[in-house]
Amino acid sequence: MRIWDIPPDKLCRNHLLGEHRELHALWSIIINNKKAYSNHPETLRWKDKLRALHLRHEKLVEEMDKRGYNHQSPLDVRFATGSDTQDEFIDSYEKQVKILKEKNCGCSV
Ligand SMILES: [Zn+2]
Ligand SMILES: [Zn+2]
């Protein structure tokens, strides 16, 4: 489970759609207080920042729209509370760029 800190327009199809799917899973874990994944680093860094997670979702959807991918899964904005800024990173931005480069997947990083 990973939410990238990379601008969505740089992500390849797989990484864009994969992150979008995982974001929904993460959102559900947090708003439903699910036990599974509750100690996952990605859960911990977003749980008090649902406004920021909602914004990330909006950015992913904007890019999906641009590319003509279908989106029919809005997030319930009533749960978008807490901070609107994500300032904790699991891997630094540079490390994330390196990880994606090494995958040779089509991400333009
Ligand atoms: Zn969605
Ligand atoms: Zn990629």
Side-chain angles (χ1 to χ4, degrees):
M1 192 165 69
R2 183 195 280 271
I3 304 300
W4 298 97
D5 299 286
I6 308 280
D9 64 337
K10 292 185 187 296
L11 297 176
C12 71
R13 184 177 204 276
N14 275 346
H15 278 116
L16 178 63
L17 296 182
E19 181 186 333
H20 174 256
R21 195 172 51 238
E22 290 176 15
L23 192 154
H24 274 275
L26 179 61
W27 181 269
S28 167
I29 288 163
I30 296 172
I31 69 166
N32 296 305
N33 272 317
K34 287 184 191 164
K35 279 249 158 47
Y37 296 103
S38 61
N39 286 319
H40 190 286
E42 208 61 90
T43 310
L44 295 173
R45 85 171 173 130
W46 290 101
K47 68 178 166 92
D48 297 320
K49 296 176 180 144
L50 289 178
R51 278 170 69 204
L53 192 59
H54 187 264
L55 286 172
R56 178 69 183 175
H57 177 261
E58 297 298 286
K59 285 189 192 156
L60 294 175
V61 169
E62 201 179 286
E63 183 58 26
M64 286 164 67
D65 281 347
K66 267 190 205 155
R67 298 190 198 180
Y69 309 156
N70 207 8
H71 182 262
Q72 293 174 326
S73 50
L75 295 178
D76 189 339
V77 72
R78 288 174 301 170
F79 291 104
T81 56
S83 175
D84 65 358
T85 310
Q86 181 54 273
D87 51 11
E88 278 171 62
F89 300 95
I90 296 169
D91 292 312
S92 68
Y93 188 86
E94 293 71 26
K95 177 85 193 294
Q96 294 180 47
V97 166
K98 189 166 176 279
I99 292 169
L100 289 172
K101 266 194 180 134
E102 284 170 356
K103 288 184 190 285
N104 272 319
C105 55
C107 280
S108 52
V109 283

